[in-house]
Amino acid sequence: MSSKKRVCIVGSGNWGSAIAKIVGNNVMEKSDKFEKEVKMWVFEEMVNGRKLTEIINQDHENVKYLPGFKLPENVVAIPDVKDSAEGADILIFVLPHQFVRGVCKQLKGKVNDGATAVSLIKGFDVAEGGGILLISSVIRDQLGVPCAALMGANIANEVAMENYCEATIGCKDMKYGPLLKELFQTNYFRIVVIEDETTVEVCGALKNIVAVGAGFADGLGYGDNTKAAVIRLGLMEMVKFCEVFYPESQQGTFLESCGVADLVTTCYGGRNRRVAEAFVKTGKSIEELEKEMLNGQKLQGPPTAFEVNYMLKNKNMEERFPLFTAIHKICKKETDVKQFMDCLKNHPEHM
């Protein structure tokens, strides 16, 4: 029996396709360690009269979510998630966090014994009783496999263009670290593996909320000084959130790519900032703008703000996180966006 690892990518959007490009090339180069074929689950849809899986498998391009970039020929698009994961030893989850639970239900009992997973998903899952769960915990609990987290300052198109960037893999069980590093690292995509998996993942989720705030500031016509204040206060709330809810988290993790670097790049680029700016300028709802602007991609910032607020409200802690709370209420149109500046000026740190 082969000891080579079979890799499956669960998801094929903008980021999933950029990762498929990296992973597809890496497994070809390291064919002593990995099987050459990488199965990628693709949510089937029609694009210009053709099935998206057919386009990817024949033309080797995800024309909907990552147009203009060739995918390696060993990346095979599969429309059924159970078929894509069959026999996989490493499952790379990279899909909108809203769909994780449903996908895991389909995969239950289909995953190899001894398989491992890695989540590239930025968001939380709402738990019964007013709490939130990390996506890696949902994957771990549903599938009974260990699950690491990969996060970083990684705008998908820039990664696909092979612009230099870094990412952090948080891996509680460090025995999986070297293999995952080999799977993802390239000369332009550099990986640091650390043990503080929880903080890596929490940073990846929370920074999207802050990016929405940065977009509000842009939409209101403020400049870089204001955005710097949003980033700084947002980072403070991210650190405090980890201190309160994940006391095992380590401050040094915020200085990794998953922390301050990802926060900065998301507040200047990325879809959450862009849609939040349009929200201010057009007066349309977040849901309308998502449909109009994102060509089928999903926003992560507003739903993550909702999930975080759900927990803060249940624990009577909204006032301790005024930036997160204000961003959620503005997204829901419970508070006028013009009051966003009051939240910055009257932040407890300034009182």
Side-chain angles (χ1 to χ4, degrees), residues 44 68 104 164 273:
E44 191 68 281
C104 283
Y164 178 82
R273 189 217 61 78

Side-chain angles (χ1 to χ4, degrees), residues 211-221 271-290 292-293 299 302 326-340:
V212 172
F216 292 159
D218 287 341
L220 291 164
R271 65 188 85 153
N272 290 285
R273 189 217 61 78
R274 200 157 37 95
V275 172
E277 181 180 13
F279 173 84
V280 180
K281 289 181 170 173
T282 64
K284 293 178 180 177
S285 73
I286 293 285
E287 292 73 22
E288 285 175 278
L289 291 165
E290 183 181 64
E292 279 178 29
M293 295 174 68
L299 272 186
I327 289 165
H328 165 67
K329 289 185 171 170
I330 291 166
C331 286
K332 289 290 179 196
K333 296 206 164 181
E334 291 170 23
T335 301
D336 192 302
V337 71
K338 292 187 180 71
Q339 290 175 257
F340 181 61

Side-chain angles (χ1 to χ4, degrees), residues 183-200:
L183 183 60
F184 290 104
Q185 180 157 280
T186 70
N187 63 354
Y188 63 89
F189 190 67
R190 306 306 287 178
I191 302 288
V192 174
V193 182
I194 64 172
E195 224 170 325
D196 187 12
E197 183 186 302
T198 300
T199 313
V200 171

